[in-house]
Amino acid sequence: MDLIEVLPTLRMLRFPVGAAFLWRDGDELTLIDSGTADAAAEIEAVLDGALRRIVLTHWHEDHTGSAALLAARHGAEVVAHRLEAPVIRGEAVGAPPVLEEFEIPIRAGIPVLPPAPPCRVDREVEDGDVLEFGGGAVVVAVPGHTDGSIAVHLPGPGVLFTGDAVANVGRTVLGVFNTDRARAVDSLHRLAALDADTVVFGHGAPVVHGGAAALRAAAAATR
């Protein structure tokens, strides 16, 4: 795992596949996504405050893998969209992606990831709900990658967590491996309308300044 300071209050935990993020409010930490099931020890090694909550942007195993263990050990509240919650709890099976032709070799090159253990979801959220961190973190529904994918927008500090709705690999682009590309494109355009200077992604490098412009450019290039 690589630990990257994006902002004084925001650190990126970059794994071989995907990333998670730690947001600090004083002595309280919020973890956005939790890496794969083998990442818990590495995440715990960099916790330097009380882990108050874990926000899961969607159910995929590179985002939810360590959530159950971390939540149990630290008493953290687990937050996810109501459509993702049954899959995260192990009560339902998530829909597979509908791969574009160019995505097939990309998918084939990704190593098999350990399955995510079922995890409780303490708070099921909807579009527009506000979470108690970062001065008020707004849940933004971004369906398309999965039905209940969410982004999280912190209007005060101007930070946006996109989950896998968007990626930044060389340039900012629509995320891959979507269940519904048309809805994913609509979600990208929605995120591009938000005011965010710093944008961080489930896959790819953060955009520390000029994030909104990068999203607008990606949206303009994607139909």
Side-chain angles (χ1 to χ4, degrees):
M1 182 191 79
D2 297 322
L3 183 64
I4 299 164
E5 183 171 295
V6 181
L7 298 170
T9 52
L10 176 62
R11 289 177 290 169
M12 176 182 184
L13 286 58
R14 185 170 61 194
F15 304 107
V17 177
F21 298 90
L22 274 172
W23 178 270
R24 171 180 291 282
D25 289 298
D27 293 331
E28 185 175 284
L29 300 175
T30 296
L31 181 67
I32 297 90
D33 289 326
S34 68
T36 51
D38 53 4
E42 291 181 296
I43 294 172
E44 287 184 309
V46 299
L47 295 179
D48 54 358
L51 183 59
R52 172 68 181 83
R53 67 185 61 78
I54 302 169
V55 181
L56 301 174
T57 61
H58 61 291
W59 65 263
H60 288 163
E61 56 274 307
D62 54 326
H63 294 258
T64 62
S66 290
L69 183 56
L70 292 171
R73 284 182 175 173
H74 298 272
E77 176 187 48
V78 180
V79 181
H81 192 279
R82 65 173 180 83
L83 296 178
E84 302 293 283
V87 184
I88 293 168
R89 292 188 184 113
E91 301 164 354
V93 176
V98 179
L99 297 181
E100 303 287 314
E101 186 173 351
F102 80 91
E103 294 175 337
I104 294 172
I106 300 174
R107 182 80 169 189
I110 296 175
V112 176
L113 302 177
C119 178
R120 71 174 195 271
V121 176
D122 303 299
R123 181 173 177 182
E124 298 183 19
V125 294
E126 300 269 8
D127 183 58
D129 286 351
V130 178
L131 305 175
E132 297 78 17
F133 73 95
V138 181
V139 173
V140 183
V142 285
H145 185 64
T146 64
D147 287 346
S149 285
I150 60 171
V152 181
H153 182 215
L154 280 54
V159 174
L160 177 64
F161 303 86
T162 72
D164 280 1
V166 192
N168 190 48
V169 284
R171 60 189 177 93
T172 305
V173 294
L174 179 73
V176 295
F177 310 151
N178 299 303
T179 59
D180 187 325
R181 187 181 188 278
R183 296 181 81 196
V185 171
D186 288 344
S187 292
L188 168 59
H189 282 261
R190 185 179 188 198
L191 293 178
L194 298 176
D195 184 12
D197 189 37
T198 299
V199 180
V200 295
F201 313 86
H203 300 273
V207 178
V208 180
H209 297 294
L215 289 172
R216 288 194 297 269
T222 307
R223 292 289 183 263

